[in-house]
Amino acid sequence: MNLSTLAAFALFVAVMTGTPGPGNLTFMAIGATSGYRTAFPVIVASQLGSLVLNLCVAFGLGQVMAEGGPLVTVFKVLSMTYMAYLAWRIVSLSVKPKGDVRLPSFWEGILIHPLSPKTWAMSLVAFTTFFAGNGLALGENAALLTGGFLIGGTIAHSIWALVGVSILAILGDGPILRATTITMAGGMLAATAWAMLL
């Protein structure tokens, strides 16, 4: 892989991981309601899930998903169900009293990317655009794909969580924050639905 292709891949990762999607909106909402310390372990978990997803794409599951069929239909149902559950958890963080809400867990974070249609789409596009037929060994391509998205995802999710912390500092813990959190949860569901249509 030459330097210009690697730079193009890095730019692609920065844009894709930095734009709104289920993961970023989730971490902004967690940051806005519970702070960065609460968000960070879930960010780590999400990156483990991203690692697994990108390895699956690199080693051939992406081709199966790209071809459609019953597996993709099952994935879409699971994805929308899980994103609806995450949206409910996010809204619960701001609507219920703090002591009555269980914070998002490490295990919930692991599923964010494997069940996100946006993450699947960007991984498939990245692999076919930058790595298919580039002359490198499959293991080398898998390492570049997963490493790029791990770095980009960790940075982007952390920035979105810190934006959420800033929102909390500005709005305080009140009705405006609750309305903002509900809007973010709705945005996450809308982003998921939109990605499924692409």
Side-chain angles (χ1 to χ4, degrees):
M1 175 177 280
N2 59 43
L3 188 59
S4 62
T5 303
L6 193 60
F9 171 61
L11 179 61
F12 176 85
V13 168
V15 171
M16 290 296 102
T17 59
T19 50
N24 285 334
L25 292 171
T26 295
F27 294 118
M28 184 167 70
I30 295 172
T33 55
S34 304
Y36 184 76
R37 286 187 180 181
T38 300
F40 184 71
V42 190
I43 290 172
V44 172
S46 77
Q47 292 313 294
L48 289 176
S50 172
L51 174 68
V52 171
L53 181 152
N54 285 301
L55 286 173
C56 287
V57 167
F59 286 98
L61 185 57
Q63 182 61 35
V64 175
M65 294 293 284
E67 290 172 359
L71 180 62
V72 174
T73 302
V74 170
F75 166 75
K76 287 181 176 181
V77 171
L78 288 174
S79 176
M80 203 64 211
T81 302
Y82 188 66
M83 294 306 157
Y85 166 75
L86 268 184
W88 170 77
R89 294 278 283 117
I90 289 167
V91 170
S92 296
L93 286 174
S94 65
V95 173
K96 295 182 179 179
K98 296 289 185 190
D100 295 345
V101 178
R102 180 176 57 86
L103 296 173
S105 72
F106 185 87
W107 300 108
E108 287 172 316
I110 283 179
L111 295 175
I112 288 174
H113 288 303
L115 291 177
S116 167
K118 179 193 173 187
T119 309
W120 275 98
M122 67 188 194
S123 183
L124 284 167
V125 169
F127 191 78
T128 56
T129 303
F130 300 106
F131 299 101
N134 66 358
L136 295 178
L138 184 58
E140 292 174 308
N141 281 331
L144 287 168
L145 180 73
T146 56
F149 279 115
L150 280 174
I151 294 167
T154 301
I155 293 170
H157 289 339
S158 293
I159 290 171
W160 280 79
L162 290 169
V163 168
V165 173
S166 300
I167 289 172
L168 176 61
I170 293 167
L171 300 181
D173 189 10
I176 297 176
L177 176 63
R178 285 193 287 275
T180 303
T181 304
I182 290 168
T183 301
M184 285 187 280
M188 185 186 73
L189 286 177
T192 302
W194 175 256
M196 286 183 178
L197 296 174
L198 297 179

